[in-house]
Amino acid sequence: MPMNRVQFQPGLSLSAFFRRYGTEEQCLDALVQARWPRGFVCPRCEHRQASRFQRGRQWLWQCTRCRTQTSVTAGTPLAVTKLPLRTWWLAIYLVTQSKNGIAALELARQLGVCYRTAWRIKHTLMAVMADREASRQLTGMVQIDDAYLGGERARGPGEPQWDNKIPFIAAIATRKGEPTVARFDIVSSFRRSVVHEWAQQVLAPGACVVSDGLTAFTGVTWAGVPHEPIVTGRGRKAAGEPRLNWVNTLLSNLKTALSGTHHALKFAKYATRYLHAHAYRFNRRLDLPAMILRLAGALVKSCPRTEQDLRNPAETRR
């Protein structure tokens, strides 16, 4: 079997990472470049000229037109953090560079912080990753499949047994037989009406879908998207269908990553974050070093999140 060049790309070594982002000054400069890639922009009047000065440990920019003072972290999830920027950059590195992600407990050990702090950092980054993936649409030849996260839990008499089993749709766009981008979306059930709504949001004009013979996937046709169902049966024959090979491979990798890296996940609350974070890494897999800067840029362009936002995601409060 020939070597997979994407899988065996060199990436960014830990020593190279510390050469780039090992000091607070390096992290600040990189964050400034991520937030203002074309130079400073005043958040109030959008003027591009400012004077820079230091107050205590913080660097501030003062607009030369309206005199507004701001920092590179103002209005972002980093605005109220007490951690050094280099801790956040190391967290971004650890969350993005591993194909399977990283558990919060392991992240706490690597960063030298308590578990609660590591959990907040991890879920802040995953929420930003999920925001970036939420509006992605798929085009070209798209393979889709149905799957579940979680399963039965031991409960007492009369208590729900399946409250942690979450249905979702896996979809991957391909070009010339190779995977390009993927999505994993939580759905309420596998009904045609639900799949129809999903297809309208996720599939771009020009997409063509191939799936197994699940009746619910006829909802794709209701959305006006060409659809080819393949009755695969069960077991190895279904998994070995060549026209569904990539979606089956990604589902296998996803479930292996979740079960091998994370434990006791509350899928009913956080499944969307974990699924979109996995898709985020896959969709940017072609350039691992660039993924660090891209996530840092998305972080400083996102809104602050409170403890309640992190503990109770919007999708679970509906």
Side-chain angles (χ1 to χ4, degrees):
M1 179 182 294
M3 179 181 292
N4 186 320
R5 293 186 178 181
V6 175
Q7 194 171 22
F8 284 86
Q9 63 178 299
L12 185 68
S13 68
L14 194 57
S15 59
F17 169 80
F18 282 120
R19 285 196 298 270
R20 291 188 192 181
Y21 310 110
T23 68
E24 197 72 4
E25 292 75 17
Q26 288 175 313
C27 293
L28 177 62
D29 291 342
L31 204 62
V32 170
Q33 180 62 28
R35 181 166 187 178
W36 300 312
R38 296 182 178 85
F40 171 81
V41 178
C42 176
R44 182 176 181 181
C45 69
E46 298 185 352
H47 189 57
R48 291 185 171 273
Q49 298 296 325
S51 58
R52 177 178 170 176
F53 63 95
Q54 191 172 12
R55 179 184 293 163
R57 297 182 179 180
Q58 187 178 40
W59 281 97
L60 298 174
W61 283 256
Q62 179 170 292
C63 176
T64 57
R65 175 187 289 173
C66 68
R67 316 297 289 179
T68 296
Q69 295 180 1
T70 188
S71 68
V72 70
T73 60
T76 77
L78 301 178
V80 296
T81 185
K82 296 180 181 178
L83 296 172
L85 290 179
R86 61 182 182 273
T87 300
W88 279 92
W89 278 92
L90 180 56
I92 291 172
Y93 175 85
L94 295 172
V95 167
T96 59
Q97 298 302 289
S98 173
K99 176 178 168 182
N100 295 341
I102 185 170
L105 185 58
E106 178 63 20
L107 186 63
R109 295 188 181 116
Q110 296 289 346
L111 299 181
V113 298
C114 68
Y115 175 81
R116 180 177 177 180
T117 297
W119 188 95
R120 283 179 56 88
I121 292 173
K122 176 184 172 181
H123 278 261
T124 297
L125 295 177
M126 289 201 304
V128 173
M129 297 162 88
D131 289 345
R132 297 307 248 192
E133 292 301 307
S135 60
R136 182 183 295 279
Q137 288 192 314
L138 305 181
T139 188
M141 186 60 68
V142 180
Q143 301 176 14
I144 67 175
D145 201 0
D146 60 297
Y148 288 90
L149 287 178
E152 185 174 2
R153 284 182 173 179
R155 301 283 187 178
E159 295 181 344
Q161 299 290 315
W162 298 95
D163 59 341
N164 201 44
K165 187 170 184 179
I166 305 299
F168 72 98
I169 296 177
I172 180 165
T174 63
R175 183 169 58 243
K176 297 181 179 179
E178 295 296 323
T180 54
V181 295
R183 279 193 64 128
F184 304 104
D185 294 293
I186 302 297
V187 291
S188 59
S189 65
F190 293 119
R191 298 194 304 268
R192 272 179 287 193
S193 59
V194 175
V195 174
H196 172 226
E197 183 179 354
W198 171 86
Q200 288 182 312
Q201 296 175 354
V202 172
L203 301 177
C208 297
V209 170
V210 59
S211 73
D212 60 20
L214 185 70
T215 304
F217 286 146
T218 56
V220 171
T221 307
W222 291 4
V225 178
H227 172 224
E228 179 186 0
I230 302 173
V231 180
T232 58
R234 296 179 178 272
R236 293 185 177 181
K237 182 179 179 181
E241 169 56 49
R243 285 172 292 179
L244 296 172
N245 61 332
W246 282 115
V247 71
N248 287 329
T249 298
L250 258 68
L251 276 174
S252 176
N253 291 344
L254 169 67
K255 293 185 176 182
T256 299
L258 292 178
S259 62
T261 305
H262 311 285
H263 304 284
L265 286 180
K266 295 181 180 179
F267 290 119
K269 291 183 70 173
Y270 306 121
T272 294
R273 283 185 193 159
Y274 280 93
L275 292 178
H276 282 183
H278 191 84
Y280 184 97
R281 287 187 290 267
F282 177 83
N283 294 338
R284 293 159 181 81
R285 68 197 182 281
L286 300 180
D287 192 342
L288 293 177
M291 199 188 312
I292 300 171
L293 288 173
R294 294 176 73 171
L295 183 53
L299 178 64
V300 294
K301 293 173 185 175
S302 64
C303 298
R305 286 176 167 85
T306 65
E307 181 86 13
Q308 183 180 5
D309 293 332
L310 295 176
R311 297 284 177 183
N312 300 287
E315 55 267 20
T316 66
R317 299 199 298 263
R318 293 171 185 168

